[in-house]
Amino acid sequence: MKTTILTVDPTNTQLNNEIYAKAAEVINTGGLVAFPTETVYGLGANALDGTAVKKIYEAKGRPSDNPLIAHISDISELYALVKDISPVAQKLMKAFWPGPMTLVFKKKDIIPKETSGGLDTVAVRFPENRVAQHFIAACGVPIAAPSANTSGKPSPTRASHVEFDLDGKIDMIIDGGHCEFGLESTIVDVSGDVPCLLRPGSVTLEMLKEIAPDITVDKAVLGKLNEGERPKAPGMKYTHYSPDANVTIVRGSVDKTVKEINSLLEEHKNENCGVIATEETKDGYNTKNVLVIGSRKHPETIAANLFKMLRKCDYYGYKVVFVEGFPESEIGLAIMNRLKKAAGYNIIELN
Ligand code: TXA
Ligand code: MG
């Protein structure tokens, strides 16, 4: 299959109406289109067409018990898809939609089992990115979309990442530039009496608590589950985000972290090692292989660059990677959740 890549202007969606019309035609004839959102690029199909949705699993190599998120371009599109929208769900929608938050509701029959992974719930997101909104609206149907990466690899935050993973396997990529937040959406299950955080993201737990003070946190958000335990978001059980390298997180004060990573570099001096560092620490390492992920003073820059840096580790062929750890508050909870998975929970705590 030939993958068509079409570039749109994210600042002026009116300019590219013919591109959105072409993308809608692909979707409405059962094809796959990758598109940007403010979190990561998604790989979209018509969420109401089980046969089309199956192609997503094939292109990504994704296990079919891992359900997809249905994306909408207006809140009015929600009511046809889900039942029982609780008062707290409405408050969360009012506070954070459109934006980087996904809500899990009881599903209506219109959602096929391919989209919901056989569950009786469905995850729905109303993205803020204008290209995403314009694309979904042009299609006229909800768009089922996981992150547009090969299963297990870091999520794509650039059209070039999608091309690298999926060229020849999907019909079209809409290139709308880089993704603002760079981490997948926060997922909150609002299908029960008490909301539950299933995956942390740029809508932080602190922000959610202001709207829903009794929110609970699924155990899979915080660390590795024991044998036999199941995360509530099926996708949280899979290894994720992993570069080919063996990744170790080192966390402690800035000084101790740099010192420890330098001694690890010495220990592994016969291997191709890389360090994922910050603006504040980048000059402290005894190697040239330093990738700067962002600034500790502005953790949102770390979130935005995280997947790009993990992909770079493969590009440079690093076999061993040391990455600095961060405090698990605010956006740090989402950053560490992704890093821990990338590292297979391999973490050295210094304090
Ligand atoms: O930011 C995002 O959420 C991106 C963009 C494209 O919207 N999408 C994304 O999709 O990250 P994906 O498939 O990579 O991750 C979706 C997660 C998986 O862990 C899946 O198991 C969970 O959402 N999920 C989907 N439907 C669910 C449901 N009904 N109940 C619980 N978890 C669900
Ligand atoms: Mg994903």
Side-chain angles (χ1 to χ4, degrees), residues 37 39-42 62 66-69 71 102 104 119 121-123 125 145-147 184-185 187 198-199 232-236:
T37 80
T39 57
V40 300
Y41 271 75
R62 176 179 174 115
N66 190 4
L68 307 176
I69 297 171
H71 295 70
T102 296
V104 174
L119 300 176
T121 54
V122 64
R125 177 165 171 234
S147 49
E184 306 88 343
S185 61
I187 304 180
L198 305 189
R199 180 174 74 183
K232 281 212 203 154
M236 296 281 279

Side-chain angles (χ1 to χ4, degrees), residues 13 48 50 53 97 107 109 157 160 190 235 312 340:
T13 37
L48 307 181
V53 168
W97 272 4
K107 80 173 189 77
D109 291 342
T157 56
S160 59
V190 290
K312 274 201 175 175
K340 282 179 186 171

Side-chain angles (χ1 to χ4, degrees), residues 60 62 146-147 149 155 184 199 240-241:
K60 280 184 60 105
R62 176 179 174 115
S147 49
N149 51 290
S155 295
E184 306 88 343
R199 180 174 74 183
H240 248 84
Y241 316 122

Side-chain angles (χ1 to χ4, degrees), residues 11 46 51 61 68 83 117 119 135 147 149 181 248 284 291 335 347:
T11 61
N46 178 354
T51 310
L68 307 176
K83 323 190 237 206
L119 300 176
F135 161 65
S147 49
N149 51 290
F181 292 110
T248 302
L291 300 172
I335 293 171
I347 173 161

Side-chain angles (χ1 to χ4, degrees), residues 194-228:
V194 179
C196 180
L197 177 67
L198 305 189
R199 180 174 74 183
S202 296
V203 172
T204 64
L205 182 57
E206 289 83 349
M207 289 158 74
L208 293 167
K209 277 185 177 159
E210 281 182 24
I211 310 291
D214 60 346
I215 188 168
T216 57
V217 178
D218 189 43
K219 214 179 153 195
V221 169
L222 301 167
K224 194 176 180 177
L225 295 177
N226 297 321
E227 200 71 40

